[in-house]
Amino acid sequence: MVRSRHRLRILQTDIARTKPTFALREQVINDIVPGRLFLKAFRIDKANNRLHDVVIYDFGDGTRLLDLVRSKGGTSRRLLLVGHNPSLEHLAKRLIGSGDRELRSRLNAKFPTGALAILRFDSRDWAGIAEGGGRLEVFVRPR
């Protein structure tokens, strides 16, 4: 017990002395999770470190985007999500459970930059959407 307290005290002292920080710069794409998650803040309020006009580049499996939709969508009837691949493509594939077979096949084959997918959900709010619960109604690829 004494040894653990001693190690904790040393760790606390080291942290206090080095003051580790997470530094973000305005107008720059900051590498948050190397190679996976990037963030750009157009303005950072120096008084309270609040970020304004934030863009998140997520190269993951769509989980962060789904969490964002569920937590921020509220009861809006429509929600527009603009994102980057592969995260947006993965999210669309995870959410689609029904819809025109040809459209679904085209989306699964290729979801290029600039593609548009419209999904419909039978849910009262965005927090209630489930994987496989979306119906693909429109899928358009750019020419």
Side-chain angles (χ1 to χ4, degrees):
M1 177 80 88
V2 173
R3 181 178 280 173
S4 296
R5 286 185 188 168
H6 179 70
R7 287 182 185 164
L8 176 60
R9 179 54 117 183
I10 290 172
L11 180 60
Q12 288 172 330
T13 302
D14 287 346
I15 290 172
R17 189 182 75 244
T18 58
K19 296 182 182 167
T21 60
F22 184 77
L24 294 176
R25 297 183 329 183
E26 291 178 334
Q27 301 290 326
V28 173
I29 297 176
N30 297 274
D31 195 356
I32 306 301
V33 177
R36 305 279 297 161
L37 182 65
F38 304 87
L39 181 141
K40 181 177 182 179
F42 288 91
R43 188 171 69 81
I44 301 173
D45 188 331
K46 302 297 182 203
N48 58 18
N49 289 325
R50 187 167 292 164
L51 306 178
H52 298 272
D53 298 319
V54 175
V55 177
I56 299 171
Y57 302 92
D58 179 11
F59 294 94
D61 63 1
T63 299
R64 286 185 187 93
L65 293 176
L66 181 56
D67 291 345
L68 179 70
V69 167
R70 285 177 173 159
S71 67
K72 301 295 183 186
T75 58
S76 300
R77 290 190 63 220
R78 292 178 180 88
L79 181 74
L80 174 65
L81 182 64
V82 178
H84 293 269
N85 278 341
S87 191
L88 191 61
E89 178 178 358
H90 290 311
L91 177 61
K93 290 177 179 179
R94 287 171 59 183
L95 292 177
I96 295 168
S98 64
D100 182 84
R101 217 173 255 191
E102 174 62 27
L103 287 179
R104 290 167 57 193
S105 177
R106 287 181 50 228
L107 184 141
N108 283 319
K110 187 174 184 183
F111 194 109
T113 299
L116 170 70
I118 298 177
L119 284 66
R120 181 176 300 274
F121 297 91
D122 293 324
S123 179
R124 292 178 185 245
D125 60 35
W126 292 100
I129 65 170
E131 291 188 32
R135 175 179 174 76
L136 180 62
E137 298 203 335
V138 174
F139 179 64
V140 180
R141 290 187 194 143
R143 293 180 191 236

